Amino acid sequence: MLRQTLSRHFLLLATCLCLAAAAQAQKLPNVMILATGGTIAGTGASSTTTVGYTAATVGVQQLIGAVPELAEVANVKGEQVFQIASESMTNEHWLTLGKRVNALLAQNDVDGIVITHGTDTMEETAYFLDLVVKSRKPVVLVGAMRPSTALSADGPINLFNAVLVAGSRDAVGKGVLVALNDQIHAARDVTKSNTSTPDSFRTPELGLLGYIQGGKPFFYRASTRRHTADTEFDIANVNTLPQVDIVYGYASMNTVALDAFVAAGAKGIIHAGVGDGSLAARVKPALIAARKKGTIIVRASRVGQGILARNGEANDDELDFIAADTLNPQKARILLMLALTRTTNTAEIQRMFYTY
Ligand code: ASP
Protein backbone atom coordinates (compact mmCIF):
# COMPACT_ATOMS: atom_id res chain seq x y z
CA MET A 1 0.00 0.00 0.00
CA LEU A 2 2.73 2.40 1.09
CA ARG A 3 4.79 1.41 -1.94
CA GLN A 4 1.85 2.05 -4.25
CA THR A 5 1.24 5.51 -2.77
CA LEU A 6 4.93 6.37 -3.03
CA SER A 7 5.16 5.34 -6.65
CA ARG A 8 2.01 7.34 -7.44
CA HIS A 9 3.62 10.38 -5.80
CA PHE A 10 6.80 9.79 -7.72
CA LEU A 11 4.86 9.58 -10.99
CA LEU A 12 3.04 12.80 -10.16
CA LEU A 13 6.29 14.57 -9.34
CA ALA A 14 7.94 13.37 -12.56
CA THR A 15 4.92 14.56 -14.57
CA CYS A 16 5.05 17.95 -12.87
CA LEU A 17 8.76 18.28 -13.60
CA CYS A 18 8.20 17.34 -17.24
CA LEU A 19 5.37 19.86 -17.57
CA ALA A 20 7.50 22.54 -15.92
CA ALA A 21 10.34 21.82 -18.34
CA ALA A 22 7.92 21.92 -21.29
CA ALA A 23 6.44 25.22 -20.05
CA GLN A 24 9.95 26.64 -19.67
CA ALA A 25 10.87 25.50 -23.22
CA GLN A 26 7.69 27.13 -24.49
CA LYS A 27 8.69 30.44 -22.92
CA LEU A 28 12.17 30.34 -24.47
CA PRO A 29 12.63 31.86 -27.93
CA ASN A 30 13.08 29.51 -30.89
CA VAL A 31 16.41 30.31 -32.51
CA MET A 32 17.63 28.62 -35.68
CA ILE A 33 21.39 28.34 -36.14
CA LEU A 34 22.48 28.27 -39.78
CA ALA A 35 26.10 27.17 -40.10
CA THR A 36 28.24 28.20 -43.05
CA GLY A 37 31.78 27.33 -41.90
CA GLY A 38 34.62 29.70 -41.01
CA THR A 39 37.07 29.71 -38.12
CA ILE A 40 34.32 29.21 -35.55
CA ALA A 41 34.09 25.73 -37.12
CA GLY A 42 37.86 25.48 -37.59
CA THR A 43 40.38 23.10 -36.08
CA GLY A 44 44.11 23.53 -35.51
CA ALA A 45 47.01 21.14 -35.00
CA SER A 46 47.32 22.04 -31.30
CA SER A 47 45.68 24.16 -28.61
CA THR A 48 48.18 26.94 -29.28
CA THR A 49 47.50 27.04 -33.02
CA THR A 50 45.69 30.33 -33.58
CA VAL A 51 46.85 30.90 -37.16
CA GLY A 52 47.49 28.37 -39.91
CA TYR A 53 44.53 26.16 -38.88
CA THR A 54 41.86 24.65 -41.11
CA ALA A 55 38.57 26.56 -41.26
CA ALA A 56 35.15 24.94 -41.75
CA THR A 57 35.62 21.40 -40.43
CA VAL A 58 33.26 21.15 -37.42
CA GLY A 59 29.56 20.54 -38.09
CA VAL A 60 26.65 22.53 -36.68
CA GLN A 61 25.53 19.85 -34.18
CA GLN A 62 29.04 19.76 -32.73
CA LEU A 63 29.08 23.57 -32.47
CA ILE A 64 25.79 23.50 -30.58
CA GLY A 65 26.91 20.53 -28.47
CA ALA A 66 29.97 22.48 -27.32
CA VAL A 67 27.70 25.06 -25.64
CA PRO A 68 25.14 23.16 -23.50
CA GLU A 69 24.23 26.51 -21.88
CA LEU A 70 22.33 27.37 -25.07
CA ALA A 71 19.45 25.12 -23.93
CA GLU A 72 18.89 27.44 -20.94
CA VAL A 73 18.34 30.55 -23.07
CA ALA A 74 16.67 29.30 -26.26
CA ASN A 75 15.24 26.34 -28.08
CA VAL A 76 17.97 25.98 -30.67
CA LYS A 77 17.97 23.94 -33.85
CA GLY A 78 20.87 23.73 -36.29
CA GLU A 79 21.15 23.47 -40.04
CA GLN A 80 24.35 23.16 -42.07
CA VAL A 81 23.85 25.46 -45.05
CA PHE A 82 27.45 25.43 -46.33
CA GLN A 83 30.80 24.35 -44.93
CA ILE A 84 33.29 26.83 -46.38
CA ALA A 85 35.89 29.41 -45.42
CA SER A 86 34.28 32.79 -45.97
CA GLU A 87 36.92 33.98 -48.44
CA SER A 88 35.20 31.52 -50.81
CA MET A 89 31.74 33.03 -50.30
CA THR A 90 30.07 33.93 -53.62
CA ASN A 91 26.97 35.77 -54.85
CA GLU A 92 25.33 32.36 -55.35
CA HIS A 93 25.94 31.43 -51.69
CA TRP A 94 24.35 34.75 -50.67
CA LEU A 95 21.25 34.15 -52.76
CA THR A 96 20.83 30.64 -51.31
CA LEU A 97 21.36 31.89 -47.77
CA GLY A 98 19.07 34.91 -48.18
CA LYS A 99 16.24 32.74 -49.51
CA ARG A 100 16.67 30.23 -46.68
CA VAL A 101 16.62 33.01 -44.07
CA ASN A 102 13.45 34.49 -45.57
CA ALA A 103 11.75 31.09 -45.66
CA LEU A 104 12.63 30.36 -42.02
CA LEU A 105 11.64 33.80 -40.72
CA ALA A 106 8.24 33.43 -42.38
CA GLN A 107 7.57 30.49 -40.03
CA ASN A 108 5.75 31.19 -36.76
CA ASP A 109 7.98 28.78 -34.89
CA VAL A 110 11.19 30.72 -35.67
CA ASP A 111 11.84 33.84 -33.55
CA GLY A 112 15.36 34.62 -34.72
CA ILE A 113 18.30 33.33 -36.71
CA VAL A 114 21.99 33.03 -35.92
CA ILE A 115 24.38 32.51 -38.82
CA THR A 116 27.83 31.13 -38.01
CA HIS A 117 30.24 32.50 -40.60
CA GLY A 118 33.90 33.06 -41.35
CA THR A 119 35.04 36.50 -40.30
CA ASP A 120 36.79 37.49 -43.55
CA THR A 121 33.63 38.34 -45.50
CA MET A 122 31.16 38.41 -42.60
CA GLU A 123 30.53 42.14 -43.02
CA GLU A 124 29.61 41.56 -46.68
CA THR A 125 27.17 38.71 -46.04
CA ALA A 126 25.66 40.71 -43.18
CA TYR A 127 25.09 43.77 -45.38
CA PHE A 128 23.68 41.65 -48.22
CA LEU A 129 21.17 40.09 -45.79
CA ASP A 130 20.43 43.53 -44.30
CA LEU A 131 19.21 44.55 -47.76
CA VAL A 132 17.26 41.41 -48.73
CA VAL A 133 15.78 39.87 -45.56
CA LYS A 134 12.04 40.55 -45.48
CA SER A 135 11.42 40.38 -41.75
CA ARG A 136 11.89 42.37 -38.56
CA LYS A 137 12.93 39.29 -36.61
CA PRO A 138 16.55 39.30 -35.46
CA VAL A 139 19.27 37.90 -37.72
CA VAL A 140 22.70 37.75 -36.09
CA LEU A 141 25.98 36.82 -37.74
CA VAL A 142 28.66 35.36 -35.53
CA GLY A 143 32.13 33.93 -35.97
CA ALA A 144 35.37 33.49 -34.14
CA MET A 145 38.88 34.76 -34.54
CA ARG A 146 40.34 31.60 -32.98
CA PRO A 147 39.63 28.03 -34.11
CA SER A 148 37.50 25.77 -31.92
CA THR A 149 40.57 23.82 -30.74
CA ALA A 150 42.49 26.89 -29.46
CA LEU A 151 43.15 27.87 -25.85
CA SER A 152 40.57 30.55 -25.03
CA ALA A 153 38.65 29.89 -28.23
CA ASP A 154 36.18 32.75 -28.67
CA GLY A 155 33.64 30.73 -30.68
CA PRO A 156 31.56 29.22 -27.82
CA ILE A 157 30.97 32.49 -25.92
CA ASN A 158 30.37 34.34 -29.20
CA LEU A 159 27.78 31.72 -30.20
CA PHE A 160 26.08 31.89 -26.80
CA ASN A 161 25.92 35.69 -27.02
CA ALA A 162 24.62 35.62 -30.60
CA VAL A 163 21.79 33.28 -29.58
CA LEU A 164 20.91 35.64 -26.72
CA VAL A 165 20.70 38.54 -29.17
CA ALA A 166 18.72 36.55 -31.77
CA GLY A 167 16.21 35.54 -29.10
CA SER A 168 15.86 39.03 -27.65
CA ARG A 169 12.83 41.25 -28.27
CA ASP A 170 15.19 44.23 -28.05
CA ALA A 171 16.87 43.09 -31.28
CA VAL A 172 13.61 43.08 -33.27
CA GLY A 173 13.65 45.69 -36.06
CA LYS A 174 17.34 46.55 -35.61
CA GLY A 175 18.37 45.09 -38.97
CA VAL A 176 20.96 42.38 -39.47
CA LEU A 177 23.48 42.37 -36.64
CA VAL A 178 27.03 41.14 -36.12
CA ALA A 179 27.90 39.96 -32.61
CA LEU A 180 31.45 39.11 -31.52
CA ASN A 181 33.63 39.89 -28.53
CA ASP A 182 30.60 40.84 -26.34
CA GLN A 183 29.66 43.60 -28.80
CA ILE A 184 26.75 44.14 -31.18
CA HIS A 185 27.25 45.96 -34.49
CA ALA A 186 25.00 47.01 -37.39
CA ALA A 187 25.64 45.15 -40.66
CA ARG A 188 25.95 48.34 -42.71
CA ASP A 189 28.74 49.91 -40.73
CA VAL A 190 30.76 47.11 -39.13
CA THR A 191 34.10 46.06 -40.56
CA LYS A 192 36.85 43.58 -39.81
CA SER A 193 39.71 45.75 -38.62
CA ASN A 194 42.45 43.38 -37.48
CA THR A 195 43.79 40.26 -39.17
CA SER A 196 43.83 38.08 -36.07
CA THR A 197 42.80 39.54 -32.70
CA PRO A 198 39.44 38.71 -31.04
CA ASP A 199 38.45 42.41 -30.97
CA SER A 200 38.72 42.65 -34.76
CA PHE A 201 35.12 43.75 -35.44
CA ARG A 202 34.65 47.49 -35.18
CA THR A 203 32.27 50.21 -36.30
CA PRO A 204 34.75 53.05 -36.67
CA GLU A 205 33.45 56.51 -35.78
CA LEU A 206 29.73 55.69 -36.08
CA GLY A 207 29.95 53.29 -33.15
CA LEU A 208 28.67 49.89 -32.11
CA LEU A 209 24.99 49.37 -31.21
CA GLY A 210 25.43 47.67 -27.87
CA TYR A 211 26.95 45.00 -25.67
CA ILE A 212 26.11 41.58 -24.30
CA GLN A 213 26.74 41.30 -20.59
CA GLY A 214 25.56 38.93 -17.88
CA GLY A 215 23.47 36.92 -20.33
CA LYS A 216 21.60 39.92 -21.70
CA PRO A 217 21.97 42.23 -24.70
CA PHE A 218 22.02 45.98 -24.05
CA PHE A 219 21.29 48.32 -26.97
CA TYR A 220 22.30 52.00 -26.94
CA ARG A 221 21.70 53.08 -30.55
CA ALA A 222 20.24 51.92 -33.88
CA SER A 223 21.14 52.39 -37.50
CA THR A 224 19.22 55.20 -39.21
CA ARG A 225 19.47 53.68 -42.71
CA ARG A 226 16.65 51.61 -44.19
CA HIS A 227 17.08 47.86 -43.97
CA THR A 228 15.41 44.42 -44.04
CA ALA A 229 11.59 44.66 -44.25
CA ASP A 230 11.85 48.30 -45.47
CA THR A 231 14.06 47.84 -48.53
CA GLU A 232 12.97 47.70 -52.18
CA PHE A 233 15.10 44.63 -52.96
CA ASP A 234 13.53 41.23 -53.40
CA ILE A 235 15.62 38.17 -54.25
CA ALA A 236 12.73 35.68 -54.35
CA ASN A 237 13.03 35.33 -58.13
CA VAL A 238 16.68 36.35 -58.54
CA ASN A 239 19.06 33.53 -59.51
CA THR A 240 22.17 35.50 -60.45
CA LEU A 241 23.46 38.94 -59.54
CA PRO A 242 25.00 41.33 -62.10
CA GLN A 243 28.78 41.32 -62.31
CA VAL A 244 30.25 44.19 -60.31
CA ASP A 245 34.00 44.40 -59.66
CA ILE A 246 36.28 46.57 -57.55
CA VAL A 247 39.37 48.40 -58.81
CA TYR A 248 41.77 49.55 -56.11
CA GLY A 249 43.43 52.96 -56.11
CA TYR A 250 47.14 53.45 -55.41
CA ALA A 251 50.01 55.65 -56.58
CA SER A 252 50.95 54.58 -60.12
CA MET A 253 47.55 52.92 -60.60
CA ASN A 254 46.98 51.78 -64.17
CA THR A 255 43.90 50.71 -66.13
CA VAL A 256 44.80 47.03 -66.64
CA ALA A 257 42.34 45.64 -64.08
CA LEU A 258 39.61 48.11 -64.99
CA ASP A 259 39.90 47.35 -68.72
CA ALA A 260 39.86 43.61 -68.04
CA PHE A 261 36.76 43.81 -65.84
CA VAL A 262 34.91 45.88 -68.43
CA ALA A 263 35.99 43.51 -71.23
CA ALA A 264 34.76 40.59 -69.09
CA GLY A 265 31.31 42.17 -69.00
CA ALA A 266 31.20 44.07 -65.70
CA LYS A 267 27.88 45.88 -65.37
CA GLY A 268 29.32 48.00 -62.60
CA ILE A 269 32.70 49.08 -61.27
CA ILE A 270 33.48 50.23 -57.76
CA HIS A 271 36.46 52.56 -57.89
CA ALA A 272 38.07 52.23 -54.45
CA GLY A 273 39.93 55.49 -54.84
CA VAL A 274 42.58 57.10 -52.69
CA GLY A 275 41.43 59.83 -50.30
CA ASP A 276 37.95 61.11 -51.08
CA GLY A 277 37.73 58.82 -54.10
CA SER A 278 40.11 60.83 -56.28
CA LEU A 279 40.60 59.70 -59.87
CA ALA A 280 44.18 59.40 -61.21
CA ALA A 281 44.76 61.32 -64.44
CA ARG A 282 45.80 58.15 -66.28
CA VAL A 283 42.68 56.19 -65.09
CA LYS A 284 39.93 58.80 -65.45
CA PRO A 285 39.59 58.50 -69.28
CA ALA A 286 39.10 54.73 -69.02
CA LEU A 287 36.36 55.22 -66.39
CA ILE A 288 34.64 57.76 -68.63
CA ALA A 289 34.88 55.37 -71.60
CA ALA A 290 33.46 52.51 -69.51
CA ARG A 291 30.52 54.67 -68.43
CA LYS A 292 29.86 55.66 -72.07
CA LYS A 293 29.66 51.93 -72.88
CA GLY A 294 27.01 51.52 -70.16
CA THR A 295 29.01 50.35 -67.13
CA ILE A 296 27.88 52.03 -63.91
CA ILE A 297 30.78 53.67 -62.06
CA VAL A 298 30.64 54.14 -58.29
CA ARG A 299 33.29 56.21 -56.57
CA ALA A 300 34.17 54.79 -53.14
CA SER A 301 37.22 55.33 -50.96
CA ARG A 302 39.92 52.98 -49.73
CA VAL A 303 40.27 55.15 -46.59
CA GLY A 304 37.59 53.32 -44.62
CA GLN A 305 35.92 56.26 -42.90
CA GLY A 306 34.01 59.39 -43.90
CA ILE A 307 31.53 60.48 -46.55
CA LEU A 308 32.55 60.20 -50.18
CA ALA A 309 31.58 63.70 -51.35
CA ARG A 310 29.45 63.73 -54.49
CA ASN A 311 30.92 66.25 -56.96
CA GLY A 312 33.96 66.62 -54.69
CA GLU A 313 37.07 65.04 -56.20
CA ALA A 314 35.22 64.48 -59.49
CA ASN A 315 32.24 66.10 -61.18
CA ASP A 316 29.84 63.19 -60.78
CA ASP A 317 26.91 65.10 -62.31
CA GLU A 318 28.88 65.65 -65.51
CA LEU A 319 30.53 62.21 -65.62
CA ASP A 320 27.31 60.41 -64.61
CA PHE A 321 29.14 58.65 -61.78
CA ILE A 322 27.75 57.68 -58.36
CA ALA A 323 29.15 58.53 -54.93
CA ALA A 324 29.29 55.65 -52.41
CA ASP A 325 28.47 57.83 -49.39
CA THR A 326 30.06 56.11 -46.34
CA LEU A 327 29.95 52.56 -47.72
CA ASN A 328 33.30 50.84 -48.00
CA PRO A 329 34.11 49.42 -51.47
CA GLN A 330 33.11 45.83 -50.66
CA LYS A 331 29.72 46.96 -49.35
CA ALA A 332 29.24 49.44 -52.21
CA ARG A 333 29.64 46.45 -54.53
CA ILE A 334 26.75 44.67 -52.82
CA LEU A 335 24.42 47.65 -52.97
CA LEU A 336 25.26 48.27 -56.63
CA MET A 337 24.56 44.62 -57.55
CA LEU A 338 21.16 44.79 -55.86
CA ALA A 339 20.44 48.24 -57.33
CA LEU A 340 21.15 46.81 -60.79
CA THR A 341 18.49 44.14 -60.27
CA ARG A 342 16.00 47.06 -60.30
CA THR A 343 17.36 49.83 -62.51
CA THR A 344 20.27 51.25 -64.51
CA ASN A 345 19.11 54.83 -63.93
CA THR A 346 22.02 56.59 -62.22
CA ALA A 347 19.85 59.12 -60.36
CA GLU A 348 17.86 56.24 -58.89
CA ILE A 349 21.03 54.35 -57.97
CA GLN A 350 22.46 57.46 -56.28
CA ARG A 351 19.21 57.75 -54.29
CA MET A 352 19.70 54.16 -53.12
CA PHE A 353 23.24 54.95 -51.97
CA TYR A 354 21.83 57.74 -49.80
CA THR A 355 18.99 55.53 -48.52
CA TYR A 356 20.64 52.23 -47.50
N1 ASP B 1 39.45 32.67 -43.24
C1 ASP B 1 38.46 32.48 -42.21
C2 ASP B 1 37.10 32.68 -42.82
O1 ASP B 1 36.72 33.79 -43.06
C3 ASP B 1 38.72 33.45 -41.10
C4 ASP B 1 37.74 33.42 -39.96
O2 ASP B 1 36.68 32.83 -40.00
O3 ASP B 1 38.04 34.07 -38.94
O4 ASP B 1 36.40 31.73 -43.04
Side-chain angles (χ1 to χ4, degrees), residues 37-40 53 55 84-87 117-121 144-145 192:
T39 294
I40 191 166
Y53 52 84
I84 59 171
S86 78
E87 55 269 34
H117 197 288
T119 60
D120 290 351
T121 59
M145 294 299 291
K192 185 174 183 178

Side-chain angles (χ1 to χ4, degrees), residues 184-264:
I184 308 165
H185 299 265
R188 183 187 185 277
D189 304 315
V190 68
T191 196
K192 185 174 183 178
S193 69
N194 186 290
T195 55
S196 53
T197 59
D199 63 349
S200 179
F201 281 79
R202 296 282 167 95
T203 301
E205 299 196 329
L206 299 179
L208 49 79
L209 302 187
Y211 303 98
I212 306 121
Q213 195 184 66
K216 195 178 151 29
F218 294 85
F219 283 91
Y220 297 90
R221 64 185 88 245
S223 175
T224 57
R225 290 303 177 101
R226 267 162 64 183
H227 55 69
T228 56
D230 295 329
T231 77
E232 60 209 271
F233 307 114
D234 185 357
I235 56 162
N237 297 312
V238 175
N239 294 319
T240 51
L241 291 167
Q243 185 193 332
V244 174
D245 294 294
I246 302 173
V247 295
Y248 199 82
Y250 50 92
S252 281
M253 183 187 181
N254 59 54
T255 65
V256 174
L258 171 63
D259 294 342
F261 285 140
V262 173

Side-chain angles (χ1 to χ4, degrees), residues 109-346:
D109 61 350
V110 176
D111 296 313
I113 291 184
V114 166
I115 299 170
T116 62
H117 197 288
T119 60
D120 290 351
T121 59
M122 182 180 290
E123 65 189 85
E124 295 177 52
T125 301
Y127 187 51
F128 177 77
L129 294 174
D130 201 44
L131 295 173
V132 303
V133 166
K134 296 287 149 209
S135 172
R136 300 195 170 282
K137 293 178 186 174
V139 176
V140 185
L141 277 89
V142 66
M145 294 299 291
R146 295 180 179 145
S148 64
T149 43
L151 279 176
S152 293
D154 50 340
I157 183 70
N158 284 350
L159 181 62
F160 180 72
N161 283 342
V163 168
L164 284 173
V165 177
S168 161
R169 299 200 68 79
D170 294 347
V172 173
K174 296 269 189 330
V176 173
L177 303 169
V178 168
L180 281 96
N181 200 38
D182 298 348
Q183 298 176 335
I184 308 165
H185 299 265
R188 183 187 185 277
D189 304 315
V190 68
T191 196
K192 185 174 183 178
S193 69
N194 186 290
T195 55
S196 53
T197 59
D199 63 349
S200 179
F201 281 79
R202 296 282 167 95
T203 301
E205 299 196 329
L206 299 179
L208 49 79
L209 302 187
Y211 303 98
I212 306 121
Q213 195 184 66
K216 195 178 151 29
F218 294 85
F219 283 91
Y220 297 90
R221 64 185 88 245
S223 175
T224 57
R225 290 303 177 101
R226 267 162 64 183
H227 55 69
T228 56
D230 295 329
T231 77
E232 60 209 271
F233 307 114
D234 185 357
I235 56 162
N237 297 312
V238 175
N239 294 319
T240 51
L241 291 167
Q243 185 193 332
V244 174
D245 294 294
I246 302 173
V247 295
Y248 199 82
Y250 50 92
S252 281
M253 183 187 181
N254 59 54
T255 65
V256 174
L258 171 63
D259 294 342
F261 285 140
V262 173
K267 300 282 179 282
I269 291 288
I270 309 297
H271 178 269
V274 295
D276 195 11
S278 315
L279 307 178
R282 69 200 286 203
V283 174
K284 193 171 169 181
L287 288 167
I288 293 170
R291 177 68 202 108
K292 290 218 166 101
K293 276 196 224 144
T295 310
I296 304 290
I297 308 294
V298 173
R299 288 194 308 114
S301 171
R302 69 173 197 178
V303 168
Q305 285 162 59
I307 301 173
L308 191 302
R310 185 172 172 87
N311 295 326
E313 283 291 340
N315 189 332
D316 297 300
D317 288 349
E318 203 176 283
L319 301 175
D320 201 22
F321 289 175
I322 288 152
D325 188 35
T326 61
L327 286 181
N328 67 24
Q330 58 271 31
K331 291 187 190 180
R333 174 178 170 270
I334 291 165
L335 181 53
L336 181 56
M337 286 193 300
L338 287 170
L340 287 170
T341 65
R342 311 228 11 123
T343 183
T344 51
N345 180 302
T346 47

